[in-house]
Amino acid sequence: MGPPVARPRLLKRAELPVDTAELARFLIGKMLVRTLAEGGAGGRIVETEAYSIGDPAGHAYRGMTPRNRALFLERGHAYVYLAYGVSFMLNVSSEIPGVGAGVLIRAIEPTSGVTIMERNRGVEVVRDLARGPGRLCEALGIDRRLDGVDLCQAGPLWLGSDGQAADEIGRSKRIGITRAADSPLRFYIRGSRFVSGPQALNR
C-alpha cells in the first residue's frame, strides 16, 4: 500500500477561466469529488469537451429553458441532463452569468471510493468505472438532483485540486456529435488508459 491520498482542496471560482475552451483544458488533471451517504468517491479528470458560446452542438444554442438553465449560471455550477433517456451527463457551466455554455466531463481516473463506484456500476474493472460520461455519472451516483449544484462549494459534488500538474494534454475533435463535429474542443491526458473514445483520437 502506498501513502494515503491527500484530500484535495476545493477549487475557488476565481481560479476557473471564464472562456469555455480554456476551462475545459484547465479542468484536466483536477479532481471531481462526490460525497455520498456511504462515503466519498471521485477521481482525476482526464477528459473534457467544451461547448462554447453559440455552439450548434451545445444545449444552450437555442436559449435558456427550464431544462438547461444551469448552463446559464455563473461558471462552476453543475448542469446534469439525461441523454437519450438512458445516461446522465455532467457538465460544468462556463462564461459569465446569463451566457449559456459549458464543459462536459467525459472521464475520470478513479482515485477514491473505488468500492462505491464498483457497486454503483456493477463492474469490478477499475478502468471501465468512469471511462465515458454516462459511466462516470452512474459510478458517482450523479443524476438530475445535482443539477445546478455549486461545484465551488463543499457539498454533494465539487471540484478540487491536489496540486499535481496534469500530464501532457492532447486535443481532438469531439465525440458522438454531428453539428460542429470537427471543432477541436475535446481535451484529454495523453496516454491515460482511463480516457474514452477511439484510439485514433487519443494519440
Side-chain angles (χ1 to χ4, degrees), residues 7-13 15-16 31 33 150-155 157-162:
R7 180 178 173 84
R9 69 167 181 83
L10 186 68
L11 282 179
K12 298 176 181 177
R13 201 177 323 279
E15 297 177 73
L16 305 183
M31 310 299 290
V33 183
D150 189 345
L151 301 173
C152 297
Q153 287 189 3
L157 185 66
W158 49 277
L159 293 167
S161 172
D162 64 357

Side-chain angles (χ1 to χ4, degrees), residues 23-109:
L23 178 60
R25 184 182 180 89
F26 171 83
L27 289 174
I28 297 294
K30 302 303 187 291
M31 310 299 290
L32 180 66
V33 183
R34 177 78 166 102
T35 304
L36 295 158
E38 59 268 44
R44 188 176 307 282
I45 298 170
V46 297
E47 183 184 1
T48 61
E49 285 180 347
Y51 289 84
S52 303
I53 300 170
D55 190 334
H59 283 198
Y61 184 61
R62 299 188 185 280
M64 188 188 302
T65 68
R67 177 175 180 249
N68 72 10
R69 62 172 294 278
L71 273 180
F72 292 80
L73 296 173
E74 191 173 15
R75 69 191 187 280
H77 286 77
Y79 166 53
V80 182
Y81 69 92
L82 186 64
Y84 309 113
V86 177
S87 300
F88 289 102
M89 307 283 181
L90 170 66
N91 299 257
V92 180
S93 64
S94 56
E95 305 295 335
I96 62 174
V99 175
V103 174
L104 174 66
I105 308 299
R106 284 197 56 90
I108 64 171
E109 176 183 346

Side-chain angles (χ1 to χ4, degrees), residues 133-197:
R135 290 175 175 179
L136 183 158
C137 285
E138 185 177 31
L140 295 179
I142 295 171
D143 58 25
R144 283 283 294 175
R145 289 173 293 182
L146 293 175
D147 185 55
V149 162
D150 189 345
L151 301 173
C152 297
Q153 287 189 3
L157 185 66
W158 49 277
L159 293 167
S161 172
D162 64 357
Q164 290 189 31
D167 294 329
E168 185 181 356
I169 298 174
R171 186 169 184 171
S172 79
K173 66 181 183 179
R174 295 173 295 188
I175 296 172
I177 60 173
T178 54
R179 295 179 178 180
D182 292 327
S183 299
L185 293 172
R186 173 176 170 266
F187 300 87
Y188 61 95
I189 292 183
R190 291 187 186 278
S192 171
R193 66 191 186 100
F194 298 96
V195 168
S196 70

